[in-house]
């Protein structure tokens, strides 16, 4: 019963996050049952505890909401990322700041100021000690996540920085820019290690492979490029989208690449051969962001059509459509 016990503990944690993310926690912190009314009645937590409190009113349909917590910000948010332990969220946006939030309470932990234009992309380092951000001010900044201090300002791009990411060992940073280049930086010294040139239009998204040996980039030129991170050589150019590529990602095993495009589709590619494995259709507007699940069995995509879609990575079937954004 180890798997069932683990599943129940995971749901219990999510239930607590749901409780503390709601208004009820501010008034009745000692009564967790105030959240039971809105919890899925078929879940393990509900089946164990709801019989103990038969007089609790039930709110029909409330548990169908996908929200665990909503963090409200005063300005538009362009990018978010979670820390490796899931305890913090970092965001960047219109107001030129980088904000670190407590994922459990929704409280603002740190506000990092230094950019002079909109922040387009943010990411945590694997050890959660640093944050990297890319801005329309053409710079990449590395911050101390604990103190909020600016550690390094990386200069070299000649146009907006659209995307940033750490390597798995935290020793390098990759950035993509509207100057059509992909840059690999030494995260410790701030030195430019490699400048990758091939794209003929804006680079919108970049990511390292899990082993740090490759980099993937997506561009408005409708292509996805896989690069050798050590030599800077182009390994594969993936063609198949009919409009600009907005987001790219590697699977955890590094064997597949995911891309989302203005053509409203999500593509799953074989990273070794460059072959198109699956084309996922369902969104009615451009796809803005994509990611693999940790086990590689599912894919998630976010679109301008205001929906988040979860797909079966093997079959390409739509598993769930999450609605809630306005």
């Amino acid at each position: 019963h180890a798997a069932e016990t683990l599943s129940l503990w995971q749901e219990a944690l999510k239930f607590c996050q749901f409780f503390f993310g709601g208004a009820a926690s501010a008034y009745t912190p000692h009564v967790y049952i105030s959240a039971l009314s809105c919890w899925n009645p078929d879940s393990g937590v509900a089946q164990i505890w709801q019989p103990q409190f038969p007089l609790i009113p039930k709110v029909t349909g409330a548990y169908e909401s996908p929200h665990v917590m909503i963090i409200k910000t005063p300005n538009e948010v362009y990018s978010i990322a979670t820390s490796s332990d899931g305890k913090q969220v970092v965001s960047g946006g219109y107001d030129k700041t980088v904000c670190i939030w407590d994922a459990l309470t929704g409280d603002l932990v740190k506000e990092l100021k230094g950019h002079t234009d909109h922040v387009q992309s943010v990411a945590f380092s694997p050890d959660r000690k640093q944050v990297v951000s890319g801005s329309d001010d053409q710079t990449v900044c590395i911050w101390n996540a604990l103190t909020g201090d600016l550690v390094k300002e990386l200069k070299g791009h000649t146009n907006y920085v659209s995307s940033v990411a750490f390597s798995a060992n935290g020793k390098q940073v990759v950035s993509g820019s509207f100057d059509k280049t992909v840059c690999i930086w030494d995260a410790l010294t701030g030195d430019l290690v490699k400048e990758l040139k091939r794209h003929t239009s804006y680079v919108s998204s970049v990511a390292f492979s899990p082993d740090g040996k490759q980099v993937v980039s997506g561009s408005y030129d409708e292509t996805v490029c896989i690069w050798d991170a050590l030599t800077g050589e182009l390994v594969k150019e993936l063609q198949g989208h009919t409009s600009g590529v907005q987001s790219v990602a590697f699977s955890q095993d590094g064997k597949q690449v995911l891309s989302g495009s203005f053509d409203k589709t999500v593509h799953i590619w074989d990273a070794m051969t460059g072959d198109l494995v699956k084309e996922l259709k369902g969104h009615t507007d451009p796809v803005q962001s994509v990611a693999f699940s940790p086990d590689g069995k599912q894919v998630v995509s976010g679109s301008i059509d205001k929906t988040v879609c979860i797909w079966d990575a093997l079959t390409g079937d739509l598993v769930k459509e999450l609605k809630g954004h306005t």
Side-chain angles (χ1 to χ4, degrees):
H1 301 290
E4 293 180 6
T5 302
L6 177 60
S7 177
L8 186 58
W9 273 108
Q10 290 173 335
E11 190 198 340
L13 175 60
K14 187 175 181 181
F15 177 80
C16 291
Q17 292 174 327
F18 174 78
F19 173 81
F20 281 109
S25 64
Y27 300 94
T28 55
H30 60 292
V31 186
Y32 282 79
I33 59 173
S34 58
L36 273 176
S37 298
C38 301
W39 202 246
N40 186 346
D42 296 324
S43 70
V45 167
Q47 289 180 3
I48 290 173
W49 288 106
Q50 280 186 336
Q52 309 299 319
F53 304 96
L55 299 182
I56 294 178
K58 291 179 173 57
V59 183
T60 304
Y63 58 87
E64 294 175 359
S65 170
H67 303 145
V68 174
M69 175 177 292
I70 298 177
I71 298 175
K72 294 184 178 180
T73 63
N75 290 287
E76 292 180 20
V77 175
Y78 296 155
S79 178
I80 61 169
T82 56
S83 58
S84 57
D85 61 2
K87 293 181 179 180
Q88 290 187 320
V89 172
V90 62
S91 65
Y94 178 83
D95 63 4
K96 310 172 189 177
T97 68
V98 177
C99 292
I100 300 176
W101 310 83
D102 187 299
L104 183 62
T105 65
D107 293 336
L108 178 63
V109 178
K110 287 289 178 182
E111 187 177 37
L112 316 180
K113 294 183 177 182
H115 285 297
T116 58
D117 209 336
H118 312 321
V119 177
Q120 294 288 351
S121 183
V122 291
F124 274 102
S125 61
D127 63 6
R128 310 182 301 278
K129 294 180 179 179
Q130 293 185 319
V131 164
V132 64
S133 57
S135 168
D136 286 353
D137 65 14
Q138 304 178 12
T139 69
V140 176
C141 287
I142 299 175
W143 312 81
N144 184 308
L146 183 62
T147 66
D149 294 336
L150 179 62
V151 178
K152 289 288 178 182
E153 185 180 41
L154 314 181
K155 294 183 177 181
H157 284 296
T158 57
N159 206 330
Y160 304 149
V161 178
S162 55
S163 182
V164 292
F166 272 101
S167 59
N169 62 10
K171 293 182 178 181
Q172 291 186 319
V173 164
V174 63
S175 59
S177 169
F178 274 30
D179 64 12
K180 308 176 189 177
T181 69
V182 176
C183 288
I184 300 175
W185 312 82
D186 186 301
L188 181 62
T189 65
D191 293 337
L192 178 62
V193 178
K194 290 288 178 182
E195 185 179 39
L196 315 180
K197 295 183 177 181
R198 169 72 177 199
H199 288 296
T200 58
S201 189
Y202 307 144
V203 177
S204 55
S205 182
V206 292
F208 274 103
S209 60
D211 61 8
K213 294 181 179 180
Q214 293 185 320
V215 163
V216 63
S217 58
S219 168
Y220 282 27
D221 65 12
E222 304 178 7
T223 69
V224 175
C225 287
I226 300 175
W227 312 81
D228 185 302
L230 182 62
T231 66
E233 294 179 356
L234 180 65
V235 178
K236 290 286 178 183
E237 186 178 50
L238 315 180
Q239 298 183 1
H241 283 294
T242 57
S243 191
V245 177
Q246 185 69 359
S247 181
V248 292
F250 268 103
S251 59
Q252 284 294 97
D253 61 7
K255 294 181 179 179
Q256 292 186 320
V257 163
L258 190 62
S259 59
S261 168
F262 283 104
D263 65 13
K264 309 175 189 178
T265 69
V266 177
H267 285 183
I268 301 175
W269 310 83
D270 185 301
M272 182 174 291
T273 65
D275 294 336
L276 179 62
V277 178
K278 288 289 177 184
E279 183 179 44
L280 314 180
K281 294 183 177 181
H283 285 296
T284 57
D285 272 311
V287 177
Q288 292 286 88
S289 183
V290 294
F292 276 101
S293 62
D295 62 7
K297 293 181 179 180
Q298 291 186 319
V299 163
V300 64
S301 58
S303 167
I304 292 178
D305 66 14
K306 306 175 186 177
T307 69
V308 175
C309 288
I310 300 174
W311 312 81
D312 186 302
L314 182 62
T315 66
D317 294 335
L318 179 62
V319 177
K320 188 74 69 173
E321 185 180 40
L322 311 181
K323 296 182 178 180
H325 288 293
T326 57

Coordinates of all heavy atoms in Angstrom, one line a residue, residues 37-80:
S37 N -15.6 21.6 2.0 CA -16.8 21.8 1.2 C -16.5 22.0 -0.3 O -17.3 21.7 -1.2 CB -17.5 23.1 1.6 OG -17.9 23.0 3.0
C38 N -15.2 22.4 -0.6 CA -14.9 22.7 -2.0 C -13.9 21.7 -2.5 O -13.4 21.9 -3.6 CB -14.2 24.1 -2.1 SG -15.3 25.4 -1.5
W39 N -13.7 20.6 -1.8 CA -12.8 19.6 -2.2 C -13.5 18.4 -3.0 O -14.6 18.2 -2.7 CB -12.0 19.0 -1.1 CG -10.7 18.4 -1.4 CD1 -10.3 17.1 -1.3 CD2 -9.5 19.1 -2.0 NE1 -9.0 16.9 -1.8 CE2 -8.5 18.1 -2.2 CE3 -9.3 20.4 -2.3 CZ2 -7.3 18.4 -2.7 CZ3 -8.0 20.7 -2.8 CH2 -7.0 19.7 -3.0
N40 N -12.8 17.8 -3.9 CA -13.3 16.7 -4.7 C -13.8 15.6 -3.8 O -13.1 15.0 -3.1 CB -12.2 16.2 -5.6 CG -12.8 15.2 -6.6 OD1 -13.9 14.6 -6.4 ND2 -12.0 14.9 -7.6
P41 N -15.1 15.3 -3.8 CA -15.7 14.3 -2.9 C -15.2 12.9 -3.2 O -15.4 12.0 -2.4 CB -17.2 14.5 -3.1 CG -17.3 15.0 -4.5 CD -16.2 16.0 -4.7
D42 N -14.7 12.7 -4.4 CA -14.2 11.3 -4.7 C -12.7 11.1 -4.3 O -12.2 10.0 -4.5 CB -14.3 11.1 -6.2 CG -15.8 11.1 -6.7 OD1 -16.6 10.7 -5.9 OD2 -16.1 11.7 -7.8
S43 N -12.1 12.1 -3.8 CA -10.7 12.0 -3.5 C -10.5 11.3 -2.2 O -11.4 11.1 -1.3 CB -10.1 13.4 -3.4 OG -10.6 14.1 -2.2
G44 N -9.2 10.9 -1.9 CA -8.9 10.2 -0.7 C -9.1 11.0 0.5 O -9.7 10.5 1.6
V45 N -8.7 12.2 0.5 CA -8.8 13.1 1.7 C -10.3 13.3 2.0 O -10.7 13.2 3.2 CB -8.2 14.5 1.4 CG1 -8.7 15.5 2.5 CG2 -6.7 14.4 1.4
A46 N -11.2 13.5 1.0 CA -12.6 13.7 1.3 C -13.2 12.4 1.8 O -14.1 12.5 2.7 CB -13.3 14.2 0.0
Q47 N -12.9 11.3 1.3 CA -13.5 10.0 1.7 C -13.2 9.7 3.1 O -14.0 9.0 3.8 CB -13.1 8.9 0.7 CG -13.8 9.1 -0.7 CD -13.4 8.0 -1.6 OE1 -12.6 7.0 -1.2 NE2 -13.8 8.0 -2.9
I48 N -12.0 10.1 3.6 CA -11.6 9.8 4.9 C -12.2 10.8 5.9 O -12.7 10.3 7.0 CB -10.0 9.9 5.1 CG1 -9.4 8.7 4.3 CG2 -9.6 9.8 6.5 CD1 -7.9 8.8 4.2
W49 N -12.3 12.1 5.6 CA -12.7 13.0 6.6 C -14.1 13.5 6.5 O -14.7 13.9 7.5 CB -11.7 14.2 6.5 CG -10.3 13.9 7.0 CD1 -9.2 13.7 6.3 CD2 -10.0 13.7 8.4 NE1 -8.2 13.4 7.2 CE2 -8.6 13.4 8.5 CE3 -10.7 13.8 9.6 CZ2 -8.0 13.1 9.7 CZ3 -10.1 13.5 10.8 CH2 -8.7 13.2 10.8
Q50 N -14.7 13.6 5.3 CA -16.0 14.1 5.2 C -17.1 13.3 6.0 O -18.0 13.9 6.6 CB -16.5 14.2 3.7 CG -15.9 15.5 3.1 CD -16.4 15.7 1.7 OE1 -16.8 14.8 1.0 NE2 -16.4 16.9 1.2
P51 N -16.9 12.0 6.1 CA -17.9 11.3 7.0 C -17.8 11.7 8.5 O -18.8 11.5 9.2 CB -17.5 9.8 6.8 CG -16.8 9.8 5.5 CD -16.1 11.0 5.4
Q52 N -16.7 12.2 8.9 CA -16.5 12.7 10.3 C -17.2 14.0 10.5 O -17.5 14.4 11.7 CB -15.0 12.8 10.6 CG -14.2 11.6 10.2 CD -14.6 10.4 11.0 OE1 -14.9 10.4 12.2 NE2 -14.6 9.2 10.3
F53 N -17.5 14.7 9.4 CA -18.2 16.0 9.5 C -19.4 16.1 8.6 O -19.4 16.8 7.6 CB -17.2 17.1 9.2 CG -16.0 17.1 10.1 CD1 -14.8 16.5 9.6 CD2 -16.0 17.6 11.3 CE1 -13.7 16.4 10.4 CE2 -14.8 17.6 12.1 CZ -13.7 17.0 11.6
P54 N -20.4 15.3 8.9 CA -21.6 15.2 7.9 C -22.4 16.5 7.7 O -23.1 16.6 6.8 CB -22.4 14.1 8.6 CG -22.1 14.1 10.0 CD -20.6 14.5 10.1
L55 N -22.2 17.4 8.7 CA -23.1 18.6 8.6 C -22.4 19.7 7.8 O -23.0 20.8 7.6 CB -23.4 19.1 10.0 CG -24.2 18.2 10.9 CD1 -24.5 18.8 12.2 CD2 -25.5 17.8 10.2
I56 N -21.2 19.5 7.3 CA -20.5 20.5 6.5 C -21.2 20.7 5.2 O -21.5 19.7 4.5 CB -19.0 20.1 6.2 CG1 -18.2 20.0 7.4 CG2 -18.4 21.1 5.2 CD1 -16.8 19.6 7.2
P57 N -21.6 21.9 4.8 CA -22.3 22.1 3.5 C -21.3 21.8 2.4 O -20.1 21.9 2.4 CB -22.6 23.6 3.5 CG -21.6 24.2 4.4 CD -21.3 23.2 5.5
K58 N -21.9 21.3 1.3 CA -21.1 21.0 0.1 C -21.4 22.0 -1.0 O -22.5 22.3 -1.3 CB -21.5 19.5 -0.4 CG -21.0 18.5 0.6 CD -21.4 17.1 0.1 CE -20.7 16.0 1.1 NZ -21.1 16.2 2.5
V59 N -20.3 22.4 -1.7 CA -20.4 23.4 -2.8 C -20.3 22.6 -4.1 O -19.2 22.2 -4.4 CB -19.4 24.5 -2.6 CG1 -19.5 25.5 -3.7 CG2 -19.4 25.1 -1.3
T60 N -21.3 22.4 -4.8 CA -21.3 21.6 -6.0 C -20.5 22.2 -7.1 O -20.7 23.4 -7.4 CB -22.7 21.3 -6.5 OG1 -23.5 20.7 -5.5 CG2 -22.7 20.4 -7.7
G61 N -19.6 21.5 -7.6 CA -18.8 22.0 -8.7 C -17.6 22.8 -8.4 O -16.7 23.0 -9.2
A62 N -17.4 23.2 -7.1 CA -16.3 24.0 -6.7 C -15.0 23.3 -6.9 O -14.0 23.9 -7.2 CB -16.5 24.5 -5.3
Y63 N -15.0 22.0 -6.6 CA -13.7 21.3 -6.7 C -13.2 21.1 -8.1 O -12.1 20.6 -8.3 CB -13.9 19.9 -6.0 CG -15.0 19.1 -6.6 CD1 -14.8 18.2 -7.7 CD2 -16.3 19.1 -6.2 CE1 -15.8 17.5 -8.3 CE2 -17.3 18.4 -6.8 CZ -17.0 17.6 -7.8 OH -18.0 16.9 -8.4
E64 N -14.0 21.5 -9.1 CA -13.6 21.3 -10.4 C -12.6 22.3 -10.9 O -12.0 22.3 -11.9 CB -14.8 21.3 -11.4 CG -15.7 20.1 -11.2 CD -17.0 20.2 -12.0 OE1 -17.1 21.2 -12.7 OE2 -17.8 19.3 -12.0
S65 N -12.4 23.4 -10.0 CA -11.5 24.4 -10.4 C -10.0 23.9 -10.3 O -9.7 23.2 -9.4 CB -11.6 25.6 -9.4 OG -10.5 26.5 -9.6
P66 N -9.2 24.2 -11.3 CA -7.8 23.7 -11.3 C -6.9 24.5 -10.4 O -5.7 24.2 -10.2 CB -7.4 23.8 -12.8 CG -8.2 25.0 -13.3 CD -9.5 24.9 -12.5
H67 N -7.4 25.6 -9.8 CA -6.5 26.5 -9.1 C -6.1 25.9 -7.7 O -7.0 25.5 -6.9 CB -7.2 27.8 -8.8 CG -7.7 28.5 -10.1 ND1 -8.8 29.2 -10.2 CD2 -7.1 28.5 -11.3 CE1 -9.0 29.7 -11.4 NE2 -7.9 29.3 -12.1
V68 N -4.8 25.9 -7.4 CA -4.4 25.7 -6.1 C -4.2 27.0 -5.4 O -4.5 27.2 -4.2 CB -3.0 24.9 -6.1 CG1 -2.5 24.7 -4.7 CG2 -3.3 23.5 -6.7
M69 N -3.7 28.0 -6.1 CA -3.5 29.3 -5.5 C -3.4 30.3 -6.7 O -2.9 30.0 -7.8 CB -2.2 29.4 -4.7 CG -1.9 30.8 -4.2 SD -0.5 30.8 -3.2 CE -1.1 29.9 -1.8
I70 N -3.9 31.5 -6.4 CA -3.8 32.6 -7.4 C -3.0 33.7 -6.7 O -3.3 34.2 -5.7 CB -5.2 33.2 -7.8 CG1 -6.0 32.1 -8.5 CG2 -5.0 34.4 -8.7 CD1 -7.4 32.5 -8.9
I71 N -1.9 34.1 -7.3 CA -1.0 35.2 -6.8 C -1.3 36.4 -7.7 O -1.2 36.4 -8.9 CB 0.5 34.8 -6.9 CG1 0.8 33.6 -6.0 CG2 1.3 36.0 -6.5 CD1 2.2 33.1 -6.2
K72 N -1.8 37.4 -7.1 CA -2.2 38.7 -7.8 C -1.0 39.6 -7.8 O -0.4 39.9 -6.7 CB -3.4 39.3 -7.2 CG -4.7 38.4 -7.3 CD -5.9 39.1 -6.8 CE -7.1 38.2 -7.0 NZ -8.4 38.9 -6.5
T73 N -0.7 40.2 -8.9 CA 0.4 41.2 -9.0 C -0.2 42.5 -9.6 O -1.2 42.5 -10.3 CB 1.5 40.6 -10.0 OG1 0.9 40.5 -11.3 CG2 2.0 39.3 -9.5
P74 N 0.5 43.6 -9.3 CA 0.0 44.9 -9.7 C 0.1 45.2 -11.2 O -0.5 46.1 -11.7 CB 0.8 45.9 -8.8 CG 2.1 45.2 -8.5 CD 1.7 43.7 -8.4
N75 N 1.0 44.4 -11.8 CA 1.3 44.7 -13.3 C 1.3 43.4 -14.0 O 1.3 42.3 -13.5 CB 2.6 45.4 -13.4 CG 2.6 46.8 -13.0 OD1 2.0 47.7 -13.6 ND2 3.2 47.1 -11.8
E76 N 1.3 43.5 -15.4 CA 1.3 42.3 -16.2 C 2.6 41.4 -16.0 O 3.7 41.9 -15.8 CB 1.3 42.7 -17.7 CG 0.1 43.4 -18.1 CD 0.1 43.8 -19.6 OE1 0.9 43.2 -20.3 OE2 -0.7 44.6 -20.0
V77 N 2.4 40.1 -15.9 CA 3.4 39.1 -15.7 C 3.7 38.5 -17.1 O 2.8 38.0 -17.7 CB 3.1 38.1 -14.7 CG1 4.1 37.0 -14.6 CG2 2.8 38.7 -13.3
Y78 N 5.0 38.5 -17.5 CA 5.4 37.9 -18.8 C 6.0 36.5 -18.6 O 6.1 35.8 -19.6 CB 6.4 38.8 -19.5 CG 5.9 40.2 -19.8 CD1 6.7 41.3 -20.0 CD2 4.5 40.4 -20.0 CE1 6.2 42.5 -20.4 CE2 4.0 41.6 -20.4 CZ 4.9 42.7 -20.6 OH 4.4 43.9 -20.9
S79 N 6.5 36.2 -17.5 CA 7.2 34.9 -17.3 C 7.2 34.5 -15.8 O 7.3 35.3 -14.9 CB 8.7 35.0 -17.7 OG 9.4 33.8 -17.5
I80 N 7.0 33.2 -15.6 CA 7.1 32.6 -14.3 C 7.9 31.3 -14.3 O 8.0 30.7 -15.3 CB 5.7 32.3 -13.7 CG1 4.9 31.3 -14.5 CG2 4.9 33.6 -13.5 CD1 3.7 30.8 -13.9

